[in-house]
Amino acid sequence: MFTHNVRVYWEDTDAGGIVFYANYLKFMERARTEWLRSSGISQQALKLETGGMFVVTDTQLKYLQPARLDDLLSVSAEIIEKGRASIKIKQEIRLSPAQNMREQLSNQELPALICQGTICIAWVDAGTLKPGRIPSFVLEALN
Amino acid sequence: MFTHNVRVYWEDTDAGGIVFYANYLKFMERARTEWLRSSGISQQALKLETGGMFVVTDTQLKYLQPARLDDLLSVSAEIIEKGRASIKIKQEIRLSPAQNMREQLSNQELPALICQGTICIAWVDAGTLKPGRIPSFVLEALN
Amino acid sequence: MFTHNVRVYWEDTDAGGIVFYANYLKFMERARTEWLRSSGISQQALKLETGGMFVVTDTQLKYLQPARLDDLLSVSAEIIEKGRASIKIKQEIRLSPAQNMREQLSNQELPALICQGTICIAWVDAGTLKPGRIPSFVLEALN
Amino acid sequence: MFTHNVRVYWEDTDAGGIVFYANYLKFMERARTEWLRSSGISQQALKLETGGMFVVTDTQLKYLQPARLDDLLSVSAEIIEKGRASIKIKQEIRLSPAQNMREQLSNQELPALICQGTICIAWVDAGTLKPGRIPSFVLEALN
């Protein structure tokens, strides 16, 4: 399964002392972007070449444990449904076992599950935003 | 039903030319905050007085239509489940019929539904982040 | 002098318990946008009509006092230099004297200066991003 | 000189099709954080151990060229003034020569300077936010 590491910076936290929950959507998108890139797909190039792009149509997230400043997170991405026009992706965010700072401060068993979600993305025309079919070379790259 | 108006600024948009989807969570939180304030509850004062705060534990969002720069949005908040420790809130984001700029440019029937969501919030101790009971005066204020 | 009120929400704060400094740039931009709007200029419509837009080319900010969750801020915008291709704007962010929550909690003399800045904006073609002359009707509207 | 790579994601861009200027402050902070970490300093641990933290007191930025979705940026950090209570840091953001996507699309001479800035940070008590002396082991680590 594809995973991408994300470090928590000041910008990601809020006055509760923890990561602001909306920012997990950003972390998940970074992981999806790197997962596409690892399959040879750059979204900027894709938009220039095909005139289309993915948009997010549905997000479901559960926030299970807080992440904090300096935490290193591991964000996964895994296709659970693949259609001609849309893709459903399961994503999990865990404390990264290898480099996490808090690991040095405690004996907690790692990696803890911070956040899990299901994200639906659909293909649209970048100009009109009308739905369309995902280009076949993109679907193939994701196999 | 409580509604709060939110204007779309450059900061809210992305290179797709539309509002970045994660930002709808921010708009919904602003509406919840103003809805609490309209019931006499300031979260900063609440935290200082009770040592507790609300955290978001679950979000489900559908993105139906894009919003754009300069749009004026109307964000609703409505309790659909109320427990001793958590509250489930239904929220909708629509183009605001009164002042929207695009209304002047077209004859589209407004207000269109941009985004709808269900947000669960739970009460926690602000220091330990452990779950607790929502203070009764807060629950009463929300009736 | 034009001023625009901005409320501080969770999204604006960081784990230091205060507004994340980069967000003051957002607050200043909201005030500039509303100041343009109050002169009859909508940036989205302007982009569609003229093919051009303002971009920020230079920012200088001093952060003098922290703002906190629930604070109501008053953000000013005032032209200090106006050229054919660019405009320099002085902006100040103060606690809003009228509605601020903290006012009720203390006898501190208000309004305190939170942040002050100088922002330069320049006109560019929205497609090529090449510099150009600010449309004369925009310059006139700003008088 | 210390440099840290930052990838541009959707979250970083705005409807102008380029990186939203306020986000360069975030990129610079990520680089400062990694530069501190490379000197053995974790800010979260530092706050827990000393009760103090750095806050940003002054930022001056020039935006020279736009960065775009998928660009890989190289962000530098270099001390230009070091006092007992504050530090002035020069930072530059360039297209990263090694992995940049646009490099493959054009023959433009790289790396172009995207943004340059001077950031002042000062040491404060994390509770009261009152200025204080930077702990000597922090100053030494930065030599």
Side-chain angles (χ1 to χ4, degrees):
Chain A
M1 189 172 33
F2 182 84
T3 62
H4 172 67
N5 277 356
V6 169
R7 179 71 71 176
V8 176
Y9 297 107
W10 284 103
E11 66 187 85
D12 304 311
T13 60
D14 70 18
I18 57 181
V19 169
F20 183 64
Y21 61 97
N23 291 334
Y24 293 114
L25 281 177
K26 297 184 180 179
F27 298 168
M28 287 180 174
E29 169 142 337
R30 294 182 201 174
R32 292 195 307 275
T33 298
E34 296 306 335
W35 162 68
L36 288 172
R37 195 188 320 282
S38 73
S39 305
I41 300 171
S42 152
Q43 291 179 81
Q44 178 76 357
L46 196 60
K47 193 177 160 187
L48 292 172
E49 284 162 22
T50 69
M53 61 180 183
F54 283 114
V55 292
V56 173
T57 58
D58 198 291
T59 61
Q60 300 192 21
L61 267 73
K62 283 191 196 310
Y63 309 93
L64 301 162
Q65 297 241 28
R68 289 190 165 77
L69 187 65
D70 279 333
D71 280 346
L72 185 66
L73 306 177
S74 170
V75 189
S76 68
E78 188 184 10
I79 294 182
I80 53 173
E81 237 179 84
K82 190 160 67 171
R84 298 303 304 264
S86 66
I87 295 172
K88 189 180 285 191
I89 300 153
K90 183 185 168 192
Q91 299 199 262
E92 291 188 343
I93 302 181
R94 294 175 180 275
L95 285 177
S96 179
Q99 300 169 59
N100 193 273
M101 290 290 121
R102 287 201 280 173
E103 197 179 22
Q104 300 164 12
L105 302 174
S106 77
N107 287 323
Q108 281 176 12
E109 194 180 328
L110 290 171
L113 183 55
I114 301 286
C115 177
Q116 60 186 179
T118 308
I119 311 291
C120 296
I121 59 175
W123 188 260
V124 298
D125 181 278
T128 63
L129 299 178
K130 290 209 174 131
R133 285 195 163 195
I134 303 170
S136 54
F137 77 91
V138 175
L139 280 177
E140 278 156 30
L142 298 179
N143 278 333
Chain B
M1 189 173 33
F2 182 84
T3 63
H4 172 67
N5 278 356
V6 168
R7 178 72 69 177
V8 176
Y9 297 108
W10 284 103
E11 66 187 85
D12 303 311
T13 60
D14 70 19
I18 58 181
V19 169
F20 183 64
Y21 61 98
N23 292 333
Y24 292 114
L25 281 177
K26 296 184 179 179
F27 297 169
M28 287 179 173
E29 169 142 340
R30 294 182 201 174
R32 291 195 306 277
T33 299
E34 295 306 335
W35 161 68
L36 288 172
R37 196 187 319 283
S38 73
S39 305
I41 300 171
S42 152
Q43 291 179 82
Q44 179 76 356
L46 196 61
K47 193 176 162 189
L48 293 172
E49 285 161 21
T50 69
M53 62 181 184
F54 284 113
V55 292
V56 173
T57 59
D58 197 291
T59 61
Q60 300 192 20
L61 266 74
K62 282 190 198 308
Y63 309 93
L64 301 163
Q65 298 240 28
R68 287 188 165 80
L69 187 63
D70 280 333
D71 280 347
L72 184 66
L73 306 176
S74 170
V75 189
S76 68
E78 188 183 12
I79 294 182
I80 53 174
E81 237 179 84
K82 190 160 68 172
R84 297 303 304 265
S86 66
I87 295 172
K88 189 180 286 191
I89 300 154
K90 184 185 168 191
Q91 299 199 260
E92 290 188 344
I93 302 181
R94 294 175 179 276
L95 285 178
S96 178
Q99 300 169 58
N100 193 273
M101 292 290 122
R102 287 201 281 172
E103 197 178 23
Q104 300 164 13
L105 300 174
S106 77
N107 288 322
Q108 280 175 15
E109 193 181 328
L110 291 172
L113 183 55
I114 300 286
C115 177
Q116 59 186 179
T118 307
I119 311 292
C120 297
I121 59 176
W123 188 259
V124 299
D125 180 279
T128 64
L129 299 178
K130 291 212 174 127
R133 287 194 162 195
I134 303 169
S136 53
F137 76 91
V138 174
L139 280 177
E140 279 157 27
L142 297 179
N143 277 335
Chain C
M1 188 173 33
F2 181 83
T3 62
H4 172 67
N5 277 356
V6 168
R7 179 72 69 175
V8 176
Y9 297 107
W10 283 103
E11 67 188 84
D12 304 311
T13 60
D14 70 17
I18 58 181
V19 169
F20 183 64
Y21 61 98
N23 292 333
Y24 292 115
L25 282 177
K26 296 185 180 179
F27 298 168
M28 288 179 174
E29 169 143 339
R30 294 182 201 174
R32 292 196 305 277
T33 298
E34 296 304 335
W35 162 68
L36 288 172
R37 196 188 318 282
S38 73
S39 305
I41 300 171
S42 152
Q43 290 179 82
Q44 178 77 355
L46 197 61
K47 193 175 161 189
L48 292 172
E49 285 162 20
T50 69
M53 62 179 183
F54 283 113
V55 292
V56 172
T57 58
D58 197 291
T59 60
Q60 300 192 21
L61 267 73
K62 281 191 198 308
Y63 309 92
L64 302 162
Q65 299 240 28
R68 288 190 166 79
L69 185 64
D70 280 333
D71 279 347
L72 184 67
L73 306 176
S74 170
V75 189
S76 67
E78 189 183 12
I79 294 181
I80 54 175
E81 237 179 83
K82 191 160 69 172
R84 298 302 304 265
S86 67
I87 296 172
K88 189 180 284 191
I89 300 153
K90 182 184 169 193
Q91 300 198 260
E92 290 187 345
I93 301 180
R94 294 176 180 275
L95 285 178
S96 178
Q99 300 169 59
N100 192 273
M101 291 291 121
R102 287 201 283 173
E103 197 179 23
Q104 301 164 11
L105 301 175
S106 77
N107 288 321
Q108 280 176 14
E109 194 182 329
L110 293 171
L113 184 54
I114 301 286
C115 178
Q116 60 186 180
T118 308
I119 310 292
C120 296
I121 59 175
W123 188 259
V124 299
D125 180 279
T128 64
L129 298 177
K130 292 211 173 128
R133 286 195 163 195
I134 302 170
S136 55
F137 76 92
V138 174
L139 280 177
E140 279 156 29
L142 297 180
N143 277 334
Chain D
M1 188 172 33
F2 181 84
T3 62
H4 172 67
N5 277 357
V6 168
R7 179 71 69 175
V8 176
Y9 298 107
W10 285 103
E11 66 186 87
D12 304 311
T13 60
D14 70 18
I18 57 181
V19 169
F20 183 64
Y21 61 98
N23 292 334
Y24 292 114
L25 282 176
K26 295 184 180 180
F27 298 168
M28 288 180 173
E29 168 141 341
R30 294 182 202 174
R32 292 196 306 276
T33 298
E34 295 305 335
W35 161 68
L36 288 171
R37 196 187 319 280
S38 73
S39 305
I41 300 171
S42 152
Q43 292 179 80
Q44 178 76 356
L46 196 60
K47 193 176 162 189
L48 292 172
E49 285 161 21
T50 69
M53 61 180 184
F54 283 114
V55 292
V56 172
T57 58
D58 198 291
T59 60
Q60 299 191 22
L61 266 72
K62 282 192 198 308
Y63 309 92
L64 302 162
Q65 298 241 28
R68 288 189 166 78
L69 187 64
D70 279 333
D71 280 347
L72 185 66
L73 305 177
S74 170
V75 189
S76 68
E78 189 183 11
I79 294 181
I80 53 175
E81 236 179 85
K82 190 160 69 172
R84 299 301 304 263
S86 66
I87 296 172
K88 189 180 284 192
I89 301 154
K90 183 184 168 193
Q91 299 199 261
E92 289 187 344
I93 301 180
R94 295 176 179 275
L95 285 178
S96 179
Q99 301 168 57
N100 193 274
M101 291 290 121
R102 288 201 281 173
E103 198 178 22
Q104 300 165 12
L105 301 174
S106 78
N107 288 321
Q108 281 176 15
E109 193 181 329
L110 291 172
L113 183 55
I114 302 285
C115 176
Q116 61 186 178
T118 309
I119 311 291
C120 297
I121 58 175
W123 188 259
V124 298
D125 181 279
T128 63
L129 299 177
K130 291 211 173 127
R133 286 195 162 195
I134 302 169
S136 55
F137 76 92
V138 174
L139 280 176
E140 277 156 30
L142 298 179
N143 276 336

